[in-house]
Amino acid sequence: MATNRLAREKSPYLLQHANNPVDWYPWGEEAFEKARREDKPIFLSIGYSTCHWCHVMEHESFESPEIAEVLNRNFVPIKVDREERPDVDRLYMTFVQASTGSGGWPMSVWLTPELKPFFGGTYFPPDNRYGRPGFRHVLESLAGSWASERDRMVDSGNQVLQQLEQMSRVAARGKRSLDKGLLDSAYFPFRRSYDATYGGFGGAPKFPRPSAFNFLLRYGHLRDNDEAIEMVIHTLRSMARGGMNDQLAGGFHRYSVDQRWFVPHFEKMLYDQAQLAVSYLEAFQISGDESLSATARRTLDYVVRDMTDAEGGFYSAEDADSVIDPSNPREKGEGAFYIWSAAELRDLLGTPTADIFAYRFGVEENGNVKPHEDPHGEFTGKNILFEQHTIAETAERFNLPEPDVKSLFADAEAKLMDARSGRIRPHLDDKILTSWNALMISAFALGARVLEEPKYLEAARRAVQFLRRAMYRDGKLLRRFREGDAAIEGFLDDYAFLVKALLDMYQADFDPAHLKLAIELSESMIERFGDPVGGGFFSSVEGDPSLVLRMKEDYDGAEPSGNSIAVLNLIRLHELTGEERYRELADHTLQAFATRLHEGASGVPQMLVGLLAYQTPPRQIILAGPSDEAFLHQLNQRFLPRHTVISLEQDEVRQLLQRGHPELAEMRAIEGETTAYVCENFACQLPTTDVQKFAELLS
């Protein structure tokens, strides 16, 4: 089978298109030079390998020889994996959103040979349908316009670039107040949009947004606002019961197409597992609800089992689509791997177990997905498992003891997992991304602490070791690893997320190597991405000729922005090291985004977390002497978002931090026992070797 240039790439997304008749180029100078030489516009297609509508557009248009002929004749086609090049994606997504009012993937953008956008959209059907113009029609129309109105289109590209430059300027318009009232104002939009019935914010479709959970939990905890905390806990419980949570294997699907978290879009993204595990762990710390810790455990176990590379890194995603019938592997359907007919369940479980299982998990004889929730008919006669009834309700309904019901479900779930393992799994995007791995390391570090589970700490350590070995070269981070190849210079989020992960790891095992590398990477991040004039951080390094604009990202969406995480890192580093420069940089960054915080705070909830940390006096816990599990247990079972723990068990830590905190020199173990110093701004209570007294001081 003939291939194009994408066959030489490592990205699973680009490789999916290597056999297209489209003459694809990867993003790079070879394609740009061809566009300039032949004076052709560029067609830029951006997506990712587990994107459902990317698959649809490939099948409908990019596999069509007729459409490929039009595309190859009139344009220079370029494919970009948005997960490899978030800088390119961010730049042109800003244009598409500004020009069309919406965005998404696949993203389709037409550029001048100088890389300036002049037309864009998302998915285009092959011909006119769904109220959308057909892709071939768009191609022919734009080719005609380029031939007859080239100067106008170039001018349009220049104007668009000027507008994007204005949009990307985030420096505050004059110094604006960042007082405590701003956080109260930021809270109310979440309160107004909260769905008190099903949890979440707004209507369908519903996306989990862990950065919003991060803000609300901290705001509620530090401001004694139980309502903010309850919104998060109710949402997390509802999500865990819904079809969005894989009820058999653990792990969360990308989002729910309906209001009640029932019908998911079935892809599983690493960044969702990482951030949601943290949300469930923190909610458990606050509430003590063991159902929340159980959900976190199942999510972490899913990543250990199904998303971990032999070398210790974590894979990126599993696809939404999967093979329906093994005899026809090219035919795939949304969620086919995960759904069941009632007859299948009866055959596998027998009676009465199948009846009991059906009651608990909402199974119906003719399928449990209503037609309006399944516009493409992919779930007809099938069931999405969700928790319709609790264990207690099920036990009461069938007049059985709860322990017997739990045992029954454990056996049933094992049988179904075994049967499901015989199906063809969804496509696995096995590339390893530094930023997403860092998010997952943070989750495992917290899971190891809260659940007191050594295997999670081991998973986190192996991933850190992998990133240090494979992705850190000559003082620089690389972004992507696949099949032995590490490539693409790291972006702001790679640095910021990994610094956070290392600080979280230090809180988990007190290894000074994590702290030293966090400081080293922070200095590199400041040098490579910092804006000493306007404040904040650019997303990419200076001097990349393939970018017509260097942007600063602030939106906390499916992932938090690099700037938001950088603010919190700088505050934590200031508290750990005593270096005033870190707090000044945090202040400068918050001021750079002050207008955004005032006028669109609901878009930057993770930056609100940084602002909350900036405004709230920190508490330090210094542990001198040998580590004691009883002391650590008291720490790890509590939600302490403004506490920093320093262990002086190793003199290396004392030496590393003593310059900024000379008082550490006097903090010693009493009579060789674990000794805790609980301090606020390093003004400390009397040290204690008594665990109960320590618990009282924490409270």
Side-chain angles (χ1 to χ4, degrees):
M1 183 179 290
T3 60
N4 53 50
R5 291 166 185 80
L6 301 187
R8 302 193 294 264
E9 297 297 306
K10 289 292 186 182
S11 159
Y13 176 60
L14 300 189
L15 290 170
Q16 286 174 347
H17 294 262
N19 299 118
N20 295 165
V22 176
D23 188 19
W24 291 116
Y25 284 75
W27 183 261
E29 182 55 33
E30 183 184 8
F32 308 153
E33 194 279 328
K34 175 181 171 68
R36 293 191 298 267
R37 184 179 70 251
E38 299 182 6
D39 193 26
K40 286 182 179 178
I42 290 166
F43 169 66
L44 174 63
S45 177
I46 302 179
Y48 56 103
S49 79
T50 59
C51 162
H52 173 73
W53 286 101
C54 300
H55 302 328
V56 172
M57 191 165 176
E58 178 192 17
H59 178 66
E60 292 177 339
S61 294
F62 302 144
E63 291 179 354
S64 163
E66 294 77 20
I67 291 178
E69 192 279 326
V70 176
L71 187 52
N72 295 338
R73 174 163 36 90
N74 296 290
F75 302 92
V76 176
I78 297 179
K79 258 298 172 191
V80 166
D81 182 338
R82 66 171 294 263
E83 296 167 356
E84 285 193 337
R85 293 299 304 258
D87 54 336
V88 176
D89 176 63
R90 188 175 296 118
L91 170 60
Y92 294 112
M93 181 62 76
T94 302
F95 162 69
V96 170
Q97 289 173 328
S99 58
T100 69
S102 63
W105 299 277
M107 180 163 54
S108 305
V109 194
W110 285 262
L111 319 176
T112 70
E114 292 73 36
L115 309 181
K116 298 172 183 178
F118 60 84
F119 187 80
T122 54
Y123 162 77
F124 290 93
D127 45 42
N128 298 340
R129 64 175 80 155
Y130 315 131
R132 294 172 177 262
F135 185 56
R136 179 168 184 164
H137 171 77
V138 171
L139 290 173
E140 291 172 340
S141 176
L142 289 174
S145 297
W146 184 260
S148 61
E149 303 177 76
R150 182 187 182 284
D151 291 343
R152 182 184 65 79
M153 298 175 82
V154 170
D155 288 342
S156 173
N158 290 331
Q159 292 171 14
V160 165
L161 188 59
Q162 291 173 2
Q163 292 167 356
L164 290 178
E165 286 175 336
Q166 292 175 349
M167 292 172 62
S168 69
R169 290 182 192 139
V170 298
R173 297 191 289 270
K175 198 163 180 75
R176 301 193 65 169
S177 169
L178 294 174
D179 59 22
K180 292 188 177 182
L182 176 55
L183 291 163
D184 297 328
S185 300
Y187 165 64
F188 286 110
F190 292 105
R191 186 185 185 196
R192 284 194 299 270
S193 64
Y194 174 62
D195 181 346
T197 302
Y198 299 110
F201 302 91
K206 275 188 175 168
F207 291 80
R209 199 172 173 206
S211 56
F213 302 157
N214 294 343
F215 167 62
L216 291 169
L217 289 179
R218 285 156 179 76
Y219 178 84
H221 178 77
L222 296 169
R223 296 293 181 83
D224 293 322
N225 185 320
D226 292 339
E227 181 184 49
I229 293 171
E230 184 54 35
M231 287 194 297
V232 176
I233 290 176
H234 176 48
T235 299
L236 293 174
R237 286 172 178 153
S238 297
M239 287 171 50
R241 289 194 297 266
M244 209 182 99
N245 180 19
D246 184 345
Q247 298 293 333
L248 290 181
F252 283 88
H253 301 297
R254 177 75 275 270
Y255 64 88
S256 174
V257 301
D258 66 316
Q259 190 173 7
R260 58 194 179 104
W261 308 106
F262 168 48
V263 181
H265 177 51
F266 278 93
E267 66 184 322
K268 285 182 173 178
M269 309 299 296
L270 183 68
Y271 57 72
D272 283 325
Q273 317 313 317
Q275 294 177 92
L276 286 172
V278 169
S279 295
Y280 279 92
L281 290 165
E282 292 183 342
F284 165 66
Q285 286 179 312
I286 291 173
S287 68
D289 180 350
E290 292 190 356
S291 73
L292 298 170
S293 65
T295 301
R297 190 183 294 274
R298 283 161 47 82
T299 304
L300 295 172
D301 287 346
Y302 157 69
V303 175
V304 170
R305 183 184 62 246
D306 294 334
M307 297 290 283
T308 303
D309 182 77
E311 295 190 58
F314 305 117
Y315 301 136
S316 293
E318 288 194 291
D319 207 334
D321 296 349
S322 43
V323 173
I324 299 170
D325 179 357
S327 66
N328 184 15
R330 285 186 60 82
E331 184 183 354
K332 297 182 178 182
E334 169 95 9
F337 181 74
Y338 301 98
I339 57 180
W340 305 85
S341 69
E344 282 179 291
L345 294 173
R346 274 196 303 275
D347 290 344
L348 289 165
L349 301 179
T351 55
T353 300
D355 295 332
I356 299 171
F357 188 91
Y359 179 81
R360 174 157 162 72
F361 289 106
V363 175
E364 298 180 13
E365 188 61 35
N366 296 315
N368 62 4
V369 185
K370 304 298 183 276
H372 70 276
E373 297 169 326
D374 182 22
H376 301 290
E378 293 181 289
F379 309 129
T380 301
K382 300 288 186 177
N383 290 274
I384 297 171
L385 302 184
F386 72 106
E387 187 184 306
Q388 187 173 43
H389 297 100
T390 65
I391 291 280
E393 289 168 340
T394 306
E396 182 179 359
R397 169 70 175 77
F398 290 92
N399 195 26
L400 294 169
E402 279 192 40
D404 290 357
V405 172
K406 288 181 180 178
S407 177
L408 178 147
F409 282 125
D411 291 343
E413 289 167 13
K415 288 178 181 177
L416 295 184
M417 280 289 287
D418 184 60
R420 205 171 82 170
S421 68
R423 298 175 177 178
I424 298 175
R425 285 194 74 94
H427 157 70
L428 174 69
D429 188 320
D430 60 354
K431 69 177 180 291
I432 296 170
L433 298 173
T434 297
S435 62
W436 294 8
N437 271 245
L439 290 172
M440 201 67 238
I441 290 166
S442 289
F444 277 120
L446 184 61
R449 289 174 49 211
V450 175
L451 303 176
E452 298 178 333
E453 177 55 76
K455 74 176 180 181
Y456 298 150
L457 186 58
E458 177 61 20
R461 282 176 174 156
R462 290 186 68 229
V464 169
Q465 291 163 2
F466 169 78
L467 293 180
R468 292 193 72 150
R469 182 175 67 251
M471 307 295 275
Y472 192 41
R473 309 267 179 85
D474 303 320
K476 297 179 183 178
L477 279 177
L478 297 173
R479 178 164 179 84
R480 187 267 297 145
F481 179 92
R482 185 169 185 269
E483 294 183 342
D485 179 66
I488 306 172
E489 202 165 335
F491 301 103
L492 172 63
D493 58 350
D494 296 302
Y495 283 79
F497 293 7
L498 186 52
V499 169
K500 179 183 183 301
L502 291 164
L503 295 176
D504 293 337
M505 281 295 291
Y506 176 71
Q507 298 295 290
D509 67 4
F510 303 118
D511 183 344
H514 301 318
L515 197 50
K516 289 163 70 173
L517 183 56
I519 294 169
E520 188 178 312
L521 284 172
S522 293
E523 294 299 330
S524 182
M525 180 191 78
I526 293 164
E527 179 184 350
R528 296 169 65 75
F529 304 100
D531 181 356
V533 177
F537 298 88
F538 293 102
S539 298
S540 55
V541 296
E542 189 174 11
D544 185 342
S546 74
L547 294 178
V548 293
L549 182 63
R550 198 174 177 214
M551 301 187 73
K552 293 179 186 174
E553 177 70 6
D554 61 356
Y555 179 64
D556 298 314
E559 306 164 58
S561 78
N563 273 287
S564 295
I565 296 298
V567 167
L568 196 58
N569 290 343
L570 291 166
I571 292 168
R572 293 174 72 183
L573 284 168
H574 166 253
E575 292 161 6
L576 280 163
T577 67
E579 289 279 350
E580 195 61 33
R581 180 172 60 97
Y582 290 134
R583 186 169 174 86
E584 290 169 357
L585 283 167
D587 174 74
H588 203 192
T589 302
L590 288 168
Q591 281 296 332
F593 293 97
T595 298
R596 183 79 150 105
L597 286 163
H598 274 274
E599 297 176 3
S602 61
V604 289
Q606 189 63 44
M607 192 164 289
L608 292 172
V609 171
L611 178 60
L612 191 58
Y614 185 79
Q615 293 178 349
T616 307
R619 299 185 82 194
Q620 294 89 14
I621 297 154
I622 296 91
L623 299 176
S627 294
D628 185 284
E629 293 300 322
F631 278 80
L632 295 177
H633 178 78
Q634 290 296 332
L635 277 172
N636 294 333
Q637 296 308 299
R638 287 173 166 79
F639 182 59
L640 302 170
R642 289 300 290 126
H643 287 58
T644 298
V645 185
I646 298 172
S647 170
L648 299 179
E649 184 175 8
Q650 298 185 50
D651 281 339
E652 188 177 355
V653 174
R654 196 188 305 270
Q655 294 163 9
L656 182 65
L657 303 181
Q658 197 166 302
R659 187 181 74 172
H661 294 303
E663 62 274 16
L664 293 177
E666 307 302 321
M667 294 180 173
R668 301 286 175 177
I670 298 173
E671 297 181 355
E673 295 186 52
T674 300
T675 304
Y677 297 77
V678 179
C679 316
E680 188 162 317
N681 282 327
F682 280 92
C684 302
Q685 304 284 335
L686 290 173
T688 182
T689 59
D690 181 76
V691 172
Q692 204 56 45
K693 177 64 176 175
F694 178 56
E696 292 171 11
L697 290 172
L698 290 178
S699 300

